[in-house]
Amino acid sequence: MRLWFILPAFLASFLDARVPDAQQVDFVIDATLPVRDTELPYTLDLNLTAAAPTRIGVGALLDLREVQKVVPERLADNAIVDNCGLQVRLDDLSFKAEDQTMDLDGDVTITIFECSRTGERNFERGEEKRSILASLSTEATVEVRDNCAYFKLIDLTLTAPEEQREQLLEDDTLDSVKELMLAAVDLALNDTPLCPELPAELASLDPAYDKGGPREIAEGGVGVFLEGSVDVSPSTILDILTVLQQQELIPGRP
């Protein structure tokens, strides 16, 4: 008996999965993404295909459209950079997917302060020197590391009003702010990876994802697609059979 062939049917029997054909099974899992002090809902659409006698192909589509709605509101009026001489506050943000890329646009307020040294490692913020409203635009990609998807900004463009641009270019303010913003955002994104977790019934499958990227869902909806495989070892099969027995979907031991 070729267990890799019948495994999708086993999974479908207790996960209410869709079975397009005998060697493929699709099902949907509701999950949450922890962001700061809250958890945001997303949907994981998992596809298993019979790829080889000892391996199952895995395709995971993370539907982040609910996250896409909530995150801009949560990030508005938050400081991206906040040090002695500089504060960059995010005023507005929107992001959307287009095919296999993700575009982000927004507005930031850049405030520059006097900054005085008060000790060998201590500084004190002084009076505000000037404040600038700038627009930002960037693209994001996805890196797969340690079975998680990490968003990463490809680059970031800042533009300021024409009347302020000459002064900003003269003292390199925009370039300095850009580098600080990229560093701050990359740090935040590295602290918030997408690590899709399977329900207990499927945990023993332990899929290994090796590639992925942004994916558009419907019109501009943000998604992330991961691809990988499962090593169908005898212990994995036994774990799944044990779950089926526990749920009384197949007979237990005689």
Side-chain angles (χ1 to χ4, degrees):
M1 181 182 296
R2 296 189 297 175
L3 291 178
W4 64 270
F5 183 85
I6 66 169
L7 181 56
F10 272 146
L11 297 174
S13 69
F14 67 94
L15 286 170
D16 191 26
R18 302 184 300 274
V19 187
D21 58 55
Q23 298 190 38
Q24 179 176 319
V25 60
D26 300 298
F27 51 91
V28 176
I29 301 165
D30 292 326
T32 57
L33 171 67
V35 177
R36 294 193 177 184
D37 57 350
T38 188
E39 292 190 341
L40 303 178
Y42 72 91
T43 301
L44 173 62
D45 192 339
L46 201 69
N47 168 266
L48 302 178
T49 56
T54 60
R55 297 195 75 76
I56 290 178
V58 180
L61 178 62
L62 289 79
D63 186 340
L64 304 177
R65 284 178 289 180
E66 288 301 315
V67 176
Q68 185 180 2
K69 295 176 184 177
V70 175
V71 165
E73 299 174 3
R74 299 290 179 89
L75 293 181
D77 296 324
N78 277 271
I80 303 173
V81 178
D82 198 0
N83 58 37
C84 179
L86 175 69
Q87 183 186 79
V88 182
R89 190 183 71 244
L90 183 64
D91 299 322
D92 183 54
L93 177 69
S94 64
F95 56 97
K96 64 179 181 178
E98 186 173 350
D99 195 15
Q100 297 186 32
T101 62
M102 193 170 76
D103 299 323
L104 294 87
D105 297 283
D107 297 318
V108 295
T109 299
I110 303 169
T111 306
I112 301 171
F113 299 91
E114 297 282 357
C115 182
S116 303
R117 183 187 291 274
T118 58
E120 184 177 347
R121 297 184 178 180
N122 297 322
F123 296 85
E124 183 177 298
R125 177 181 285 178
E127 295 183 358
E128 178 182 322
K129 294 171 63 177
R130 62 181 178 274
S131 185
I132 307 146
L133 179 64
S135 298
L136 71 87
S137 62
T138 184
E139 289 185 358
T141 187
V142 168
E143 294 182 348
V144 178
R145 305 195 307 267
D146 302 323
N147 246 24
C148 295
Y150 290 81
F151 285 107
K152 182 177 179 61
L153 298 187
I154 298 174
D155 199 358
L156 189 147
T157 300
L158 282 175
T159 57
E162 187 69 34
E163 62 272 15
Q164 296 176 315
R165 192 170 302 160
E166 184 175 342
Q167 177 62 37
L168 290 170
L169 291 173
E170 185 176 314
D171 59 16
D172 294 327
T173 297
L174 283 185
D175 283 342
S176 300
V177 170
K178 171 184 169 180
E179 294 304 318
L180 287 169
M181 287 180 64
L182 281 171
V185 172
D186 276 345
L187 183 63
L189 293 176
N190 271 311
D191 287 340
T192 317
L194 284 169
C195 304
E197 294 186 5
L198 300 183
E201 296 89 341
L202 288 175
S204 60
L205 290 177
D206 192 23
Y209 302 111
D210 51 25
K211 61 181 178 178
R215 182 65 55 89
E216 182 178 15
I217 300 175
E219 185 68 29
V222 172
V224 171
F225 191 78
L226 299 175
E227 290 183 346
S229 61
V230 172
D231 184 6
V232 187
S233 64
S235 60
T236 302
I237 298 297
L238 290 176
D239 286 344
I240 294 174
L241 291 174
T242 298
V243 172
L244 294 174
Q245 290 174 344
Q246 290 173 346
Q247 300 199 6
E248 299 181 353
L249 293 168
I250 61 174
R253 293 181 179 180

